[in-house]
Amino acid sequence: MSALFSPLQLRAVTLPNRIGIPPMCQYSARDGGLATDWHLQHYGSRAVGGAGLVIVEATAVLPEGRISRGDLGLWDDAQIEPLARVARLIASQGGVPAIQIGHAGRKASVGLGWEAQQTLTAEEGGWTTVAPSAVAFEGYAEPRALDREGISRVVQAFVAAVRRARQAGFQAVEIHAAHGYLLHQFLSPLSNRRDDDYGGSFTNRIRLTRKVVAAVRAEWPDTLPLLIRLSATDWVDGGWDAEQTVELCRLLKTDGVDLVDVSTGGLVASAKIPAGPGFQMPFATRIRAEAGLLTAAVGLITEPAQAEAILTEGHADLVLVGREILRNPFWPLQAAPALGVEVAWPKQYLRARPSGR
């Protein structure tokens, strides 16, 4: 029996296998955060391809929390039904539909993913960004430091967004606290220079993330899993690091988080990241062992045997395949025979099944 093709139980939700699609921005929303036919075919094709968990890209909880003008949103009821189409299609193919919700903070208001990554001017359709402190991301505009009222507004926006995610039919939610976006900005002393109870000490810097988690968990049904994406290190001395991540994860477990999606970096543009196959996996391994939380490994995972080994060797509980599955939506179906496993194919595609049956 292949570990990669064994089910994973998360509360009352069962993933049919341990292959997940990580959230990857498509920058293709229209009219202020509405999902389009592009999203329908993009996520639908990956579900048809056999992924057990499909996590829809970073979806902003507030308009000013968008990375770009092409980001999805869940700050308005009009955004529910376009996303519901996506969730229904994923579920109809046997996958579990999930969605990542977040706020970009000081990294908001930039061009689409294939455009220049710099802060847009008002004439270009940009907006004022916010952050824990008035400290700019390298090369970006200086953000406005959030006051207490602004922080409260962010927490309530996460709650409202998760309520809409449930109405849209998603079966799992992931809070985005990685890649240098707002919650990560509060976590790291490199971007958080506050001297109130949201800055300074470790306890203060993690306060907003824990508040968001607690508020979302209270709104999200007990039967459904709550995930969080964390950058386990800034890859810079004096920044957020693995030791702090492990300690935070111990607390998040008591707060009701079910699985940690373990990534790294994103806070410092000039950080030297030793990217290579499975380069982030050791962080997932450590969190799993020391915090007692289920983890997902992500980062240049491309081969079925590589993914299988991550699970069988106890490094993680779920494997997220990103760029490789952009290249090949049917990677899960093709990974199965490589591991000696027979899985169901869509009836419409049976003629293409390698066995010929």
Side-chain angles (χ1 to χ4, degrees), residues 52-337:
L53 178 69
V54 180
I55 308 176
V56 170
E57 66 204 73
T59 302
V61 300
L62 288 167
E64 62 269 28
R66 291 173 295 162
I67 304 166
S68 76
R69 64 187 182 279
D71 282 28
L72 293 174
L74 265 178
W75 65 80
D76 189 276
D77 287 352
Q79 296 159 337
I80 297 172
E81 180 53 31
L83 282 168
R85 295 174 66 216
V86 175
R88 286 193 296 267
L89 180 53
I90 294 169
S92 75
Q93 300 306 307
V96 172
I99 189 167
Q100 184 187 72
I101 55 174
H103 189 302
R106 68 181 188 172
K107 292 179 75 176
S109 188
V110 299
L112 303 177
W114 45 86
E115 297 176 344
Q117 293 300 285
Q118 59 191 32
T119 307
L120 301 178
T121 65
E123 291 73 23
E124 294 170 323
W127 55 90
T128 301
T129 60
V130 297
S133 306
V135 177
F137 182 68
E138 296 159 78
Y140 286 30
E142 182 178 297
R144 174 176 59 82
L146 281 166
D147 58 18
R148 300 186 75 86
E149 181 180 350
I151 290 173
S152 178
R153 181 170 177 259
V154 167
V155 175
Q156 292 309 309
F158 271 93
V159 172
V162 78
R163 186 181 305 128
R164 294 186 181 102
R166 181 60 184 141
Q167 291 176 258
F170 289 98
Q171 297 173 35
V173 160
E174 178 175 276
I175 295 169
H176 200 352
H179 298 167
Y181 297 124
L182 185 65
L183 296 184
H184 185 184
Q185 291 162 27
F186 271 85
L187 294 175
S188 177
L190 300 177
S191 48
N192 184 344
R193 310 285 178 80
R194 301 176 73 96
D195 57 8
D196 63 1
D197 53 357
Y198 286 96
S201 69
F202 170 79
T203 299
N204 286 353
R205 286 183 281 109
I206 68 172
R207 191 179 305 278
L208 179 56
T209 296
R210 292 194 71 193
K211 274 194 172 186
V212 168
V213 166
V216 166
R217 183 72 270 179
E219 179 65 33
W220 192 238
D222 287 341
T223 55
L224 300 181
L226 175 62
L227 287 58
I228 190 166
R229 173 165 266 198
L230 293 172
S231 281
T233 178
D234 291 337
W235 298 108
V236 175
D237 289 342
W240 183 255
D241 57 27
E243 287 71 26
Q244 294 175 87
T245 301
V246 169
E247 184 57 35
L248 172 59
C249 287
R250 291 192 181 107
L251 296 169
L252 293 178
K253 183 178 182 180
T254 68
D255 293 337
V257 168
D258 300 294
L259 182 143
V260 184
D261 172 359
V262 186
S263 191
T264 62
L267 189 96
V268 179
S270 58
K272 305 300 182 185
I273 301 176
F279 73 105
Q280 295 172 147
M281 184 188 67
F283 298 102
T285 309
R286 182 172 176 184
I287 291 166
R288 187 175 188 262
E290 297 181 24
L293 261 174
L294 299 180
T295 61
V298 64
L300 300 181
I301 299 168
T302 60
E303 299 298 328
Q306 175 193 16
E308 180 79 4
I310 287 171
L311 300 173
T312 58
E313 294 171 8
H315 298 295
D317 303 277
L318 180 69
V319 173
L320 302 181
V321 181
R323 295 179 190 180
E324 188 63 24
I325 227 156
L326 288 181
R327 290 185 280 265
N328 178 9
F330 304 102
W331 188 90
L333 293 179
Q334 295 172 5

